[in-house]
Amino acid sequence: TFGKKIRMASKPPVIPFVPKSTSFLKPGMFWDIPLRDGSYACGRVLCIEGKHRKRRSNLFWAGLLRWHGSVAPTMEGISGAPVLWQGDFNVRSFKDSGSRILGLLPLEADDLEIPPLLTTTLNGEVMIGYDVLRPATNAEYRSLPVKTVQVSNDSFREIADEVFLDGKPLRWDRSPDENALLDSLGLKTPADLKEVEARLSREWRASKRVRAKKSRPNNAQHHKSDRAGELED
């Protein structure tokens, strides 16, 4: 109708392209991550949404592949490469990074599975992508890495530089220090967390009673002083 704006459907960009949102991203798409020595790592789109999480314009679940090459990644080159690290990825970090979506290799084409993570160090739930599945087993609780809050092209590049160029261990993985922290808290299994929470709750209630008891004599003394003052008057 005259006077009304007609919204035209956007056409998918031609590969290679720099994504500005998640609108045209699909699981399996991959991009190049230039490293400091001129070689490349590779990022891959793992999922865009979850069972209880709708697609967002700026975030998707991404993986840094255990792949390193002297030239930019190709479908043939990355096929079969597992996920080295993963997380909630900010698509805006593509800006000014020099990275572009180079192609689409559907996850099922090379049987790529998203590795499980723990939602946090303490609560012991297993998640895959955006979906929280179930409580962790005792072994998973002590071995699975913990989800990071958010990752970006810069953090993927930093990890790739350390692992592929410097030969350092993956410091984002579960460390002995983290398990030592769990030991200090008395957390050997996920079930222990409930016991610790119950103990802390009991200790808090007990301390609250002690504080209330200590405050009573002061109140009583205050009232006694007030009464004494009234009698003098």
Side-chain angles (χ1 to χ4, degrees):
T1 307
F2 182 76
K4 289 186 177 181
K5 291 183 179 179
I6 300 176
R7 188 170 183 176
M8 303 296 289
S10 299
K11 292 183 179 180
V14 176
I15 293 176
F17 69 97
V18 177
K20 297 180 180 179
S21 73
T22 64
S23 298
F24 298 107
L25 295 183
K26 297 179 180 180
M29 282 184 166
F30 61 93
W31 67 93
D32 58 322
I33 303 176
L35 304 184
R36 65 169 185 263
D37 69 342
S39 62
Y40 293 89
C42 180
R44 197 163 175 188
V45 180
L46 299 181
C47 63
I48 309 295
E49 54 193 357
K51 294 178 181 177
H52 305 290
R53 184 189 187 278
K54 295 181 180 179
R55 177 190 286 260
R56 297 183 183 177
S57 63
N58 65 319
L59 296 173
F60 66 95
W61 198 261
L64 171 66
L65 298 185
R66 193 177 287 277
W67 178 91
H68 178 223
S70 58
V71 297
T74 63
M75 284 193 292
E76 295 78 11
I78 68 168
S79 181
V83 174
L84 176 67
W85 192 241
Q86 59 184 313
D88 204 14
F89 191 96
N90 194 327
V91 72
R92 293 170 184 164
S93 68
F94 277 101
K95 184 180 180 181
D96 300 326
S97 70
S99 297
R100 301 177 298 170
I101 296 293
L102 299 180
L104 170 62
L105 177 63
L107 302 183
E108 59 273 15
D110 62 339
D111 298 321
L112 180 67
E113 295 184 355
I114 303 175
L117 295 171
L118 287 185
T119 50
T120 68
T121 306
L122 294 179
N123 75 2
E125 290 185 308
V126 175
M127 65 183 299
I128 292 181
Y130 287 117
D131 296 329
V132 177
L133 303 182
R134 55 176 172 76
T137 65
N138 295 349
E140 289 170 334
Y141 187 59
R142 305 290 292 194
S143 61
L144 289 181
V146 180
K147 182 190 81 169
T148 51
V149 176
Q150 195 174 104
V151 295
S152 66
N153 222 36
D154 287 337
S155 63
F156 272 8
R157 181 186 293 110
E158 182 181 352
I159 296 170
D161 276 336
E162 290 187 358
V163 173
F164 299 134
L165 303 187
D166 301 333
K168 294 181 179 180
L170 184 64
R171 60 186 170 95
W172 276 262
D173 214 337
R174 173 58 70 90
S175 70
D177 290 339
E178 287 179 302
N179 283 333
L181 172 63
L182 295 179
D183 290 336
S184 68
L185 295 173
L187 302 176
K188 296 291 185 182
T189 71
D192 292 335
L193 181 60
K194 292 183 178 179
E195 295 180 10
V196 171
E197 288 175 337
R199 175 174 57 78
L200 293 175
S201 179
R202 289 194 301 270
E203 290 176 355
W204 179 80
R205 289 196 299 269
S207 65
K208 189 177 180 181
R209 287 194 295 269
V210 170
R211 289 195 301 270
K213 188 175 181 181
K214 287 182 177 179
S215 67
R216 287 193 201 110
N218 295 332
N219 291 336
Q221 186 66 35
H222 178 70
H223 293 315
K224 186 176 180 181
S225 299
D226 288 345
R227 290 186 64 188
E230 291 173 2
L231 289 175
E232 289 175 2
D233 295 340

